[in-house]
Amino acid sequence: MKYTLERFTDEVRSVIAATGRVAPELIETATPKSNIPADLAFPAFRAAKALGLPPPQLASELAASITLAPDSLIGAVSATGPFLNFSLHPQRLAEAVLAEVAQMGAAYGTHTDGADQMIVVDYSAPNIAKRMHVGHIRSTIIGQSLVNIFRALGYTVVGDNHLGDWGKQFGVVLAAIELYGRPDAVGEAALEALEAQYARYAAAAKDQPQLDEAARHWSLRLEQGDAQARDLWQWCVDLTMHAAQRNYDRLGVHIDHAYGESFYEHMLPDVIAEALDKGVAQREEGGAVVITDLEKLPTFLLQRSDGGTLYMTRDLATVLFRLTEFKPTRIVYVVGEPQALHLRQLFALTHAMGHALATDLVHIAFGTVFDASGQPLSTRRGNMVYLESLLDEAVARALAVVEQKSPDLPAEEKQAVAEAVGVGAVVYNDLYQDTKRNITLDWDRMLATEGNSATYLQYSHARCCSILRRAEADGSDITHAALLIHPAEVSLIKHLARLPAALREAGERYAPFVIADWCYTTAREFGVFFEQCPVLKAEQSALRSARLALVAATAHALRVGLGLLGIQAPERM
RNA sequence: GGGGCUGUAGCUCAGUUGGAUAGAGCAGCGACCUUCUAAGUCGUUGGUCGUGCGUUCGAGUCGCACCAGCCCCGCCA
């Protein structure tokens, strides 16, 4: 099926073609700037050049020779200088868009572009035996939003949480537990204690070499499948994942799999052997396996000289596993920008070995979070911000606002609204701008409840719900849609019609901010409508009913948009 | 030394097959609550689009060179 604006664009191209004066390949369309009173433009420069005419002359000749069908979505055609401008027919637009939203409901805006295509999305990836912190929130939030967006585009999507549950540092975790005991705290507090033990052990090992030895021994026992080591390790995994799940639940995150790095341990010898067999990698005299001269990339290692494996080894095994397990057309890595080179090397290596030749390997790099003074966040610096406390703080601040603005809500609902608003603010802070940019942690901006903020979007939605609640109507009567010709109504309807295109663009650009931007503009358009067009007190009952339908459509569309971002849409606040 | 990302209003950001007068929010100033949620709406102030060349009817957008910030460049992840 085609959405209204797609049909409008098709129609514009077709009426230009029907004049017989412009070759099809020269029919291009552009969206006019907001100061131009038109919805689609045909810049006549190229076509005029081909005909040897001045562009304004061609534009006006075309305008004169275009004829419109009686039921056309095009309301007006006019030449303005070298541009041929087309305007939507407001009444037919209103009828078409409201019918679409009413019919599709929660599926409004979705497409079937990705039918029969599988995308694997690698995101979140917290480290075992550690708390999640701001370093993990970006991958988690951006990744989940991309998953939502691709699903809405019709793709089959598998999310995989590539847990940091293996590697050299795990020996230290286990040795520290042996020496200091298992923390008896629960949840994040237990992880905090484990982190402290880790730091204490690492510090002590500096002048007690036997501690270093013990850690290596534990690491070895773990790799060899020793039962006690494996039990301790499993305890750490369960503890961490239980704590992580609470954060995921609050953030609306659901990740299908969590294979983790450890899952690939037994595949590593074969992977290294394959790279050597295919001549992509070479074993140096010292024993290390290196990859050199690959697509002008810097040399990198697949195996250490002591026989140990590396991040790269496990990542390579991971790609190969995903290719056979899921047969994806695309694998998307939602990983920070500092790892850009590592992933370029991984992708090049995979291709050089003859794998993933029909699969797109994509790195969606996001910027780093810095503190207010421009320093990277780190435990060592003492400026680390942990995810759970970040969310708690956001919710606490939101609760204070709810108490002040809506003192009459039941206590339970106040808490629920504060949770939605606080968590929504944190999520929106990561999604409202291009993910490539670095972020400076600024509480006031992050938790803003005005302007371009999650709260503003939620508030707009709640206002829609409030009108429908008071009208005791669901806005499903769209028979009077053609009455919606007030500029604020037309403008809002046009914008609702843009959601399908915004969704497609968000997918093509891997850019949740396109959806955020659409939501924000929707809220602004609704704000103007809200001020200028009374719904409950509309002058006629038919108009009231049409406006109720528009309010319902706005609420529907906003819920879709917020849902794509992973932000809740309370009905009251 | 090589490579990646970024540079647009005082601050945070949009501006993508090159198109018409470069747009928002925040901050500042001013207006609007006996009318559907003022967490709102309207008005106003604020710009050598990092710099310089080039490509063309036309450049914030494309190319080249430079400048600044962040990040990366084999035995961590």
PDB file of all heavy atoms in Angstrom, chain A residues 110-128:
ATOM      1  N   THR A 110       4.106   2.262   9.482  1.00  0.00           N
ATOM      2  CA  THR A 110       5.002   1.128   9.228  1.00  0.00           C
ATOM      3  C   THR A 110       5.009   0.759   7.747  1.00  0.00           C
ATOM      4  O   THR A 110       4.119   1.128   6.989  1.00  0.00           O
ATOM      5  CB  THR A 110       4.587  -0.112  10.041  1.00  0.00           C
ATOM      6  OG1 THR A 110       3.269  -0.498   9.646  1.00  0.00           O
ATOM      7  CG2 THR A 110       4.600   0.195  11.533  1.00  0.00           C
ATOM      8  N   HIS A 111       6.061   0.016   7.384  1.00  0.00           N
ATOM      9  CA  HIS A 111       6.224  -0.408   5.993  1.00  0.00           C
ATOM     10  C   HIS A 111       6.516  -1.908   5.949  1.00  0.00           C
ATOM     11  O   HIS A 111       6.699  -2.544   6.994  1.00  0.00           O
ATOM     12  CB  HIS A 111       7.411   0.329   5.350  1.00  0.00           C
ATOM     13  CG  HIS A 111       7.228   1.803   5.246  1.00  0.00           C
ATOM     14  ND1 HIS A 111       6.552   2.411   4.218  1.00  0.00           N
ATOM     15  CD2 HIS A 111       7.644   2.814   6.055  1.00  0.00           C
ATOM     16  CE1 HIS A 111       6.549   3.729   4.389  1.00  0.00           C
ATOM     17  NE2 HIS A 111       7.208   4.001   5.507  1.00  0.00           N
ATOM     18  N   THR A 112       6.588  -2.434   4.737  1.00  0.00           N
ATOM     19  CA  THR A 112       6.960  -3.841   4.576  1.00  0.00           C
ATOM     20  C   THR A 112       8.238  -3.965   3.750  1.00  0.00           C
ATOM     21  O   THR A 112       8.524  -4.998   3.167  1.00  0.00           O
ATOM     22  CB  THR A 112       5.825  -4.625   3.877  1.00  0.00           C
ATOM     23  OG1 THR A 112       5.479  -3.936   2.662  1.00  0.00           O
ATOM     24  CG2 THR A 112       4.597  -4.718   4.765  1.00  0.00           C
ATOM     25  N   ASP A 113       9.030  -2.883   3.739  1.00  0.00           N
ATOM     26  CA  ASP A 113      10.260  -2.850   2.937  1.00  0.00           C
ATOM     27  C   ASP A 113      11.180  -4.033   3.228  1.00  0.00           C
ATOM     28  O   ASP A 113      11.855  -4.543   2.351  1.00  0.00           O
ATOM     29  CB  ASP A 113      11.064  -1.571   3.241  1.00  0.00           C
ATOM     30  CG  ASP A 113      10.280  -0.308   2.948  1.00  0.00           C
ATOM     31  OD1 ASP A 113       9.097  -0.421   2.588  1.00  0.00           O
ATOM     32  OD2 ASP A 113      10.845   0.786   3.090  1.00  0.00           O
ATOM     33  N   GLY A 114      11.237  -4.423   4.478  1.00  0.00           N
ATOM     34  CA  GLY A 114      12.238  -5.412   4.883  1.00  0.00           C
ATOM     35  C   GLY A 114      11.713  -6.838   4.929  1.00  0.00           C
ATOM     36  O   GLY A 114      12.351  -7.704   5.517  1.00  0.00           O
ATOM     37  N   ALA A 115      10.578  -7.073   4.292  1.00  0.00           N
ATOM     38  CA  ALA A 115      10.013  -8.428   4.329  1.00  0.00           C
ATOM     39  C   ALA A 115      11.047  -9.442   3.869  1.00  0.00           C
ATOM     40  O   ALA A 115      11.759  -9.222   2.888  1.00  0.00           O
ATOM     41  CB  ALA A 115       8.773  -8.476   3.440  1.00  0.00           C
ATOM     42  N   ASP A 116      11.152 -10.548   4.555  1.00  0.00           N
ATOM     43  CA  ASP A 116      12.067 -11.644   4.221  1.00  0.00           C
ATOM     44  C   ASP A 116      13.536 -11.274   4.410  1.00  0.00           C
ATOM     45  O   ASP A 116      14.408 -11.977   3.922  1.00  0.00           O
ATOM     46  CB  ASP A 116      11.862 -12.134   2.774  1.00  0.00           C
ATOM     47  CG  ASP A 116      10.417 -12.503   2.521  1.00  0.00           C
ATOM     48  OD1 ASP A 116       9.799 -13.105   3.424  1.00  0.00           O
ATOM     49  OD2 ASP A 116       9.900 -12.154   1.439  1.00  0.00           O
ATOM     50  N   GLN A 117      13.812 -10.182   5.074  1.00  0.00           N
ATOM     51  CA  GLN A 117      15.214  -9.859   5.334  1.00  0.00           C
ATOM     52  C   GLN A 117      15.485  -9.860   6.832  1.00  0.00           C
ATOM     53  O   GLN A 117      14.698  -9.366   7.619  1.00  0.00           O
ATOM     54  CB  GLN A 117      15.555  -8.479   4.765  1.00  0.00           C
ATOM     55  CG  GLN A 117      15.560  -8.436   3.256  1.00  0.00           C
ATOM     56  CD  GLN A 117      16.131  -7.138   2.753  1.00  0.00           C
ATOM     57  OE1 GLN A 117      17.250  -6.775   3.084  1.00  0.00           O
ATOM     58  NE2 GLN A 117      15.349  -6.405   1.975  1.00  0.00           N
ATOM     59  N   MET A 118      16.644 -10.424   7.173  1.00  0.00           N
ATOM     60  CA  MET A 118      17.025 -10.562   8.576  1.00  0.00           C
ATOM     61  C   MET A 118      18.158  -9.591   8.906  1.00  0.00           C
ATOM     62  O   MET A 118      19.135  -9.491   8.174  1.00  0.00           O
ATOM     63  CB  MET A 118      17.479 -12.008   8.804  1.00  0.00           C
ATOM     64  CG  MET A 118      18.303 -12.229  10.048  1.00  0.00           C
ATOM     65  SD  MET A 118      17.345 -12.091  11.567  1.00  0.00           S
ATOM     66  CE  MET A 118      16.520 -13.693  11.565  1.00  0.00           C
ATOM     67  N   ILE A 119      17.984  -8.873   9.996  1.00  0.00           N
ATOM     68  CA  ILE A 119      19.048  -7.987  10.467  1.00  0.00           C
ATOM     69  C   ILE A 119      19.424  -8.402  11.886  1.00  0.00           C
ATOM     70  O   ILE A 119      18.555  -8.572  12.742  1.00  0.00           O
ATOM     71  CB  ILE A 119      18.597  -6.508  10.487  1.00  0.00           C
ATOM     72  CG1 ILE A 119      18.214  -6.038   9.080  1.00  0.00           C
ATOM     73  CG2 ILE A 119      19.697  -5.623  11.067  1.00  0.00           C
ATOM     74  CD1 ILE A 119      17.758  -4.581   9.022  1.00  0.00           C
ATOM     75  N   VAL A 120      20.707  -8.591  12.121  1.00  0.00           N
ATOM     76  CA  VAL A 120      21.192  -8.838  13.476  1.00  0.00           C
ATOM     77  C   VAL A 120      21.704  -7.511  14.030  1.00  0.00           C
ATOM     78  O   VAL A 120      22.482  -6.827  13.362  1.00  0.00           O
ATOM     79  CB  VAL A 120      22.326  -9.885  13.497  1.00  0.00           C
ATOM     80  CG1 VAL A 120      22.898 -10.027  14.905  1.00  0.00           C
ATOM     81  CG2 VAL A 120      21.821 -11.232  12.989  1.00  0.00           C
ATOM     82  N   VAL A 121      21.250  -7.150  15.218  1.00  0.00           N
ATOM     83  CA  VAL A 121      21.734  -5.917  15.844  1.00  0.00           C
ATOM     84  C   VAL A 121      22.482  -6.275  17.131  1.00  0.00           C
ATOM     85  O   VAL A 121      21.936  -6.938  18.017  1.00  0.00           O
ATOM     86  CB  VAL A 121      20.581  -4.939  16.163  1.00  0.00           C
ATOM     87  CG1 VAL A 121      21.125  -3.663  16.788  1.00  0.00           C
ATOM     88  CG2 VAL A 121      19.794  -4.607  14.900  1.00  0.00           C
ATOM     89  N   ASP A 122      23.731  -5.848  17.177  1.00  0.00           N
ATOM     90  CA  ASP A 122      24.594  -6.102  18.336  1.00  0.00           C
ATOM     91  C   ASP A 122      24.589  -4.837  19.181  1.00  0.00           C
ATOM     92  O   ASP A 122      25.064  -3.793  18.745  1.00  0.00           O
ATOM     93  CB  ASP A 122      26.008  -6.418  17.811  1.00  0.00           C
ATOM     94  CG  ASP A 122      27.019  -6.672  18.917  1.00  0.00           C
ATOM     95  OD1 ASP A 122      26.972  -5.992  19.963  1.00  0.00           O
ATOM     96  OD2 ASP A 122      27.875  -7.548  18.712  1.00  0.00           O
ATOM     97  N   TYR A 123      24.004  -4.925  20.379  1.00  0.00           N
ATOM     98  CA  TYR A 123      23.949  -3.712  21.199  1.00  0.00           C
ATOM     99  C   TYR A 123      23.953  -4.015  22.686  1.00  0.00           C
ATOM    100  O   TYR A 123      23.817  -5.154  23.094  1.00  0.00           O
ATOM    101  CB  TYR A 123      22.742  -2.855  20.814  1.00  0.00           C
ATOM    102  CG  TYR A 123      21.357  -3.418  21.088  1.00  0.00           C
ATOM    103  CD1 TYR A 123      20.537  -2.845  22.057  1.00  0.00           C
ATOM    104  CD2 TYR A 123      20.860  -4.478  20.352  1.00  0.00           C
ATOM    105  CE1 TYR A 123      19.248  -3.326  22.269  1.00  0.00           C
ATOM    106  CE2 TYR A 123      19.580  -4.967  20.572  1.00  0.00           C
ATOM    107  CZ  TYR A 123      18.779  -4.387  21.524  1.00  0.00           C
ATOM    108  OH  TYR A 123      17.509  -4.857  21.741  1.00  0.00           O
ATOM    109  N   SER A 124      24.137  -2.970  23.455  1.00  0.00           N
ATOM    110  CA  SER A 124      24.200  -2.973  24.925  1.00  0.00           C
ATOM    111  C   SER A 124      25.548  -3.490  25.439  1.00  0.00           C
ATOM    112  O   SER A 124      26.388  -2.718  25.835  1.00  0.00           O
ATOM    113  CB  SER A 124      23.055  -3.760  25.546  1.00  0.00           C
ATOM    114  OG  SER A 124      22.969  -3.422  26.916  1.00  0.00           O
ATOM    115  N   ALA A 125      25.738  -4.814  25.431  1.00  0.00           N
ATOM    116  CA  ALA A 125      27.033  -5.408  25.764  1.00  0.00           C
ATOM    117  C   ALA A 125      27.658  -4.911  27.064  1.00  0.00           C
ATOM    118  O   ALA A 125      28.765  -4.361  27.071  1.00  0.00           O
ATOM    119  CB  ALA A 125      28.013  -5.206  24.604  1.00  0.00           C
ATOM    120  N   PRO A 126      26.980  -5.098  28.199  1.00  0.00           N
ATOM    121  CA  PRO A 126      27.601  -4.721  29.470  1.00  0.00           C
ATOM    122  C   PRO A 126      28.673  -5.736  29.872  1.00  0.00           C
ATOM    123  O   PRO A 126      28.724  -6.834  29.330  1.00  0.00           O
ATOM    124  CB  PRO A 126      26.432  -4.781  30.463  1.00  0.00           C
ATOM    125  CG  PRO A 126      25.507  -5.789  29.886  1.00  0.00           C
ATOM    126  CD  PRO A 126      25.639  -5.688  28.384  1.00  0.00           C
ATOM    127  N   ASN A 127      29.511  -5.337  30.807  1.00  0.00           N
ATOM    128  CA  ASN A 127      30.543  -6.238  31.310  1.00  0.00           C
ATOM    129  C   ASN A 127      30.038  -6.958  32.543  1.00  0.00           C
ATOM    130  O   ASN A 127      29.401  -6.355  33.413  1.00  0.00           O
ATOM    131  CB  ASN A 127      31.806  -5.459  31.660  1.00  0.00           C
ATOM    132  CG  ASN A 127      32.469  -4.891  30.426  1.00  0.00           C
ATOM    133  OD1 ASN A 127      32.574  -5.561  29.413  1.00  0.00           O
ATOM    134  ND2 ASN A 127      32.891  -3.646  30.509  1.00  0.00           N
ATOM    135  N   ILE A 128      30.345  -8.245  32.610  1.00  0.00           N
ATOM    136  CA  ILE A 128      29.941  -9.041  33.762  1.00  0.00           C
ATOM    137  C   ILE A 128      30.777  -8.646  34.981  1.00  0.00           C
ATOM    138  O   ILE A 128      31.960  -8.327  34.855  1.00  0.00           O
ATOM    139  CB  ILE A 128      30.092 -10.547  33.447  1.00  0.00           C
ATOM    140  CG1 ILE A 128      29.173 -10.928  32.275  1.00  0.00           C
ATOM    141  CG2 ILE A 128      29.794 -11.391  34.675  1.00  0.00           C
ATOM    142  CD1 ILE A 128      27.701 -10.623  32.504  1.00  0.00           C
TER     143      ILE A 128
END
